[in-house]
Amino acid sequence: MKFSPPIVVTGLMGAGKSSVARILARELDRPLRDSDPDLAARYGGATAAETAAREGADVLHEREALHLREALAERPPVVVAAAASVVENPACRRVLAPALVVWLDAPPAVLAERMLSSGHRPHFEPDLPAMLTRQRAVRGPLFAEVADLTFDVSALTAEEVAARVLGSLGNR
């Protein structure tokens, strides 16, 4: 199966972007670009949560947007686990046009529970379900605008999502 555009996996924090992207990269024998570890490596080991706390959300989001633009310019095409914030950036939405964009969606309560499992994610507000509900209200329509495929990850495992993405590639 020869599929040449880059694949971008996106969604709110806790959706499983890294897990799905890792499987897709392995199965397609493509490089993986994952914003969290890539940015930590580039910026002295700081997690997204640490960057947001020390330098502010705007700096974090600028770095996440740069990461996406650089990853999409790489050859051979890559699989990207993109930060949720990039969808709010009009320039990022434009560069997503040639990519296959996979939106991992789930109810905010499910994502909030998953966020508690790792300290690398920024908690911009103490009430995680409320924060994610607000983020979904803003970002949901933007994810829908750019997404080629959408999956409810409260009902599917990362392996099941990846299998469905891979199954769809023959139709493209």
Side-chain angles (χ1 to χ4, degrees), residues 2-77:
K2 184 69 174 156
F3 182 80
S4 59
I7 297 173
V8 178
V9 181
T10 193
L12 294 177
M13 290 183 284
K17 298 180 293 282
S18 295
S19 297
V20 171
R22 192 175 311 112
I23 295 166
L24 292 172
R26 182 184 68 234
E27 292 298 317
L28 294 169
D29 193 29
R30 289 189 181 192
L32 172 63
R33 308 301 299 149
D34 188 333
S35 68
D36 288 335
D38 290 357
L39 291 177
R42 179 183 270 188
Y43 296 103
T47 66
E50 292 167 338
T51 299
R54 290 182 193 150
E55 300 183 57
D58 289 344
V59 169
L60 173 63
H61 295 162
E62 288 171 17
R63 290 175 180 177
E64 291 169 338
L66 177 62
H67 175 267
L68 176 68
R69 291 191 308 271
E70 289 176 347
L72 290 176
E74 290 184 24
R75 295 295 173 263

Side-chain angles (χ1 to χ4, degrees), residues 60-155:
L60 173 63
H61 295 162
E62 288 171 17
R63 290 175 180 177
E64 291 169 338
L66 177 62
H67 175 267
L68 176 68
R69 291 191 308 271
E70 289 176 347
L72 290 176
E74 290 184 24
R75 295 295 173 263
V78 299
V79 175
V80 183
S85 69
V86 300
V87 77
E88 290 188 56
N89 181 313
C92 286
R93 289 196 306 276
R94 284 192 296 277
V95 299
L96 286 170
L100 173 70
V101 179
V102 179
W103 175 21
L104 306 182
D105 193 19
V110 170
L111 299 176
E113 185 65 32
R114 292 179 179 185
M115 283 183 64
L116 296 174
S117 70
S118 176
H120 76 276
R121 298 179 180 107
H123 296 193
F124 295 111
E125 300 173 25
D127 184 340
L128 294 179
M131 177 192 79
L132 290 162
T133 297
R134 283 190 283 283
Q135 285 184 352
R136 191 177 190 294
V138 171
R139 295 174 178 171
L142 301 172
F143 287 135
E145 175 188 320
V146 299
D148 298 294
L149 300 168
T150 302
F151 298 99
D152 179 352
V153 294
S154 68

